[in-house]
Amino acid sequence: MRESEAKELGRTVVDIRHYHEVRDSIGIVIPYAYLKRFYSEIPQGSVHLIAGDRVELNLGVRFLPKKGFEVRSYELAACKCKSKGKKGVFNYGV
């Protein structure tokens, strides 16, 4: 998901991959291990989550709603599938 798409949809892009896995992130980078400590830096509202794998994604999706965030879409960086022409980008809970 591009930054312009996220802004149109009113979502904040949150990347929870490890720092060494992130090359060109368009949003806030907070690895899952640091999410409990730094989640307050994320603006409240809808979130587009970028994770490295399914486990990381599930942990993020379980944690963020408990803190008042709404995970509306997600992206798996290691996904080899295609959905609607966007590699690894899926809507969640819509």
Side-chain angles (χ1 to χ4, degrees), residues 32 39 44 58-71:
Y32 178 75
Y39 74 89
Q44 286 292 324
N58 290 338
L59 290 170
V61 166
R62 290 182 62 181
F63 176 80
L64 289 172
K66 290 178 186 176
K67 300 300 179 185
F69 299 98
E70 185 178 6
V71 180

Side-chain angles (χ1 to χ4, degrees), residues 4-24:
S4 59
E5 290 178 58
K7 283 184 182 179
E8 274 181 28
L9 297 171
R11 298 178 188 165
T12 303
V13 178
V14 179
D15 195 333
I16 60 170
R17 295 178 288 170
H18 298 287
Y19 288 121
H20 68 276
E21 293 176 0
V22 178
R23 288 179 177 60
D24 297 328

Side-chain angles (χ1 to χ4, degrees), residues 1-4 6-7 11-17 19 22-31 41-43 47-50 75:
M1 179 175 274
R2 292 189 304 264
E3 190 171 12
S4 59
K7 283 184 182 179
R11 298 178 188 165
T12 303
V13 178
V14 179
D15 195 333
I16 60 170
R17 295 178 288 170
Y19 288 121
V22 178
R23 288 179 177 60
D24 297 328
S25 186
I26 59 171
I28 299 169
V29 179
I30 303 174
E41 293 181 11
I42 305 169
V47 171
H48 172 78
L49 196 61
I50 301 174
E75 184 174 342

Side-chain angles (χ1 to χ4, degrees), residues 65-81:
K66 290 178 186 176
K67 300 300 179 185
F69 299 98
E70 185 178 6
V71 180
R72 299 299 302 240
S73 57
Y74 66 90
E75 184 174 342
L76 291 172
C79 186
K80 294 179 174 76
C81 53

